[in-house]
Amino acid sequence: MVLTEEDFNAMEKLDRVQLATTLPGPKPICLVGTRSNEGATNLAPFSSITHLGSTPILMGMVTRPDTVERHTLQNIIDTGSWTLNHVTSGMVKQAHQCSARYPGSEFEATGLNEIYHDGIIAPFVEESAVRFALELEDLVDIPSNGTKLIVGRVIFAEVPDTDLDLIKAGTLASTALDTYFSLNEVARLPYARP
Amino acid sequence: MVLTEEDFNAMEKLDRVQLATTLPGPKPICLVGTRSNEGATNLAPFSSITHLGSTPILMGMVTRPDTVERHTLQNIIDTGSWTLNHVTSGMVKQAHQCSARYPGSEFEATGLNEIYHDGIIAPFVEESAVRFALELEDLVDIPSNGTKLIVGRVIFAEVPDTDLDLIKAGTLASTALDTYFSLNEVARLPYARP
């Protein structure tokens, strides 16, 4: 079926959000770990994580200033530090629950365990098989709708193996704000030449 | 195993690219359809597609100015128009082949079929079950490494159903520059409350 901008505008807001967050296709889903200047920890699910470069390794993620994610943004601005922790099937319910508006730490609220590494302010999630830490490089305004791209440099990673296999790691994909997928490899293709 | 920034710097470039493009986890994979002012069509695979907002529906995608993707960027700047077409298992080899540096159109080179809709300059991919068109809203510089975020407003979509089911549509996920995954739903969870 065909949908035009008029159809989008006529949809119920939740239906439009569902469609808009499904159209890009499957997305990453990580828990973002941060810590405030006062030491309060925070965990928030983000699906807008994008690779930006490899030398150095840079990643971007999108945040809205007006949501629960503002703890995450404020902590990143204050400390320059955050972690990304892959969501796996064994922890999907706890990870999803981190999107609720808790007054305190999502670690305490969900029972996920925080661990630390020397020299890194932000907490890691023990239950994640793949986790890495970033340092703030840039905060880029997206004028169209007031969102921001948070750009970070990867300074540390903990992975099962350098040849990182997402299926072995149990990493999930996501879509919309509510759906999680496991993965089956259908193709690994050589570098394409004409 | 633990990897520090020193370890990243010491890796062979291809190994570092592989790790850096795998760390975010599974990503979308779409063919970007564009057309030059002279009418030459272009198709390029992009995995950096991110939802930015729902009212209106905005999406971002990242481009490097120094790669084959420059045709895509130049065509978008010239015409303001592009399409995103989900990669499905039936067309994964042709879609991957679109990353090769062809002098002419990737439609001709790969055998994928182009179709058009009234009022939209850019071509759609007939083989995609989910495809949509965007209009350029913003081109945002990312100072850290010279990449750009191309921001577009979704003006048209063709989907199997408004309740878009990525598994039924056969949409794939991707990781790194070479690996494609099909999806299994493991959870669909209600809106989280404390």
Side-chain angles (χ1 to χ4, degrees), chain A residues 1-6 8-9 11 13 15-30 47-59 62 64 86 89 92-93 96-103 117 130-132 135 137-138 140-145 147 149 151 153-167 171-175 177-194, chain B residues 1-6 8-9 11 13 15-30 47-59 62 64 86 89 92-93 96-103 117 130-132 135 137-138 140-145 147 149 151 153-167 171-175 177-194:
Chain A
M1 66 184 298
V2 158
L3 297 166
T4 66
E5 232 178 335
E6 273 179 35
F8 301 147
N9 294 338
M11 291 171 95
K13 185 170 180 219
D15 291 338
R16 187 171 58 247
V17 169
Q18 186 73 19
L19 179 68
T21 53
T22 308
L23 275 179
K27 295 177 289 186
I29 180 72
C30 286
S47 65
S48 58
I49 298 149
T50 302
H51 165 257
L52 298 177
S54 303
T55 312
I57 303 178
L58 294 181
M59 308 256 170
V62 177
R64 286 180 293 165
H86 284 198
S89 40
V92 62
K93 284 184 186 168
H96 183 76
Q97 194 57 29
C98 289
S99 61
R101 291 168 181 266
Y102 290 109
H117 286 288
V130 178
R131 49 192 179 229
F132 52 103
E135 245 178 50
E137 285 274 326
D138 263 322
V140 180
D141 287 318
I142 302 172
S144 307
N145 68 347
T147 50
L149 183 72
V151 179
R153 201 177 79 252
V154 179
I155 58 166
F156 175 96
E158 223 177 337
V159 293
D161 206 291
T162 39
D163 184 18
L164 177 52
D165 183 324
L166 295 179
I167 295 177
T171 296
L172 300 183
S174 72
T175 192
L177 305 173
D178 58 0
T179 304
Y180 300 86
F181 302 111
S182 62
L183 307 169
N184 295 316
E185 189 175 307
V186 297
R188 185 164 181 181
L189 300 174
Y191 185 85
R193 295 173 201 284
Chain B
M1 66 184 299
V2 159
L3 297 166
T4 65
E5 231 177 337
E6 273 180 34
F8 301 147
N9 294 337
M11 291 171 94
K13 186 171 178 215
D15 291 338
R16 188 172 55 247
V17 169
Q18 185 73 17
L19 178 67
T21 54
T22 308
L23 275 179
K27 296 176 289 186
I29 179 74
C30 286
S47 66
S48 58
I49 297 150
T50 303
H51 165 256
L52 298 177
S54 302
T55 311
I57 304 178
L58 295 181
M59 308 256 171
V62 177
R64 287 181 294 165
H86 283 198
S89 41
V92 62
K93 284 184 186 169
H96 184 76
Q97 194 57 31
C98 290
S99 60
R101 291 169 182 265
Y102 290 109
H117 286 288
V130 179
R131 48 192 181 228
F132 52 103
E135 245 178 51
E137 284 276 325
D138 263 323
V140 180
D141 288 317
I142 302 172
S144 308
N145 69 348
T147 51
L149 183 71
V151 179
R153 200 177 81 251
V154 178
I155 57 167
F156 175 98
E158 223 178 336
V159 293
D161 206 291
T162 39
D163 184 18
L164 177 52
D165 182 325
L166 295 179
I167 294 177
T171 296
L172 300 183
S174 72
T175 191
L177 307 173
D178 58 0
T179 305
Y180 299 86
F181 302 110
S182 62
L183 308 169
N184 294 316
E185 190 175 306
V186 296
R188 186 165 181 181
L189 299 174
Y191 185 84
R193 297 175 199 284

Side-chain angles (χ1 to χ4, degrees), chain A residues 65-87:
Chain A
D66 62 338
T67 69
V68 283
E69 295 159 13
R70 69 186 184 281
H71 286 144
T72 300
L73 178 60
Q74 194 57 54
N75 290 348
I76 290 173
I77 291 171
D78 289 348
T79 66
S81 174
W82 74 100
T83 67
L84 291 175
N85 306 269
H86 284 198
V87 172

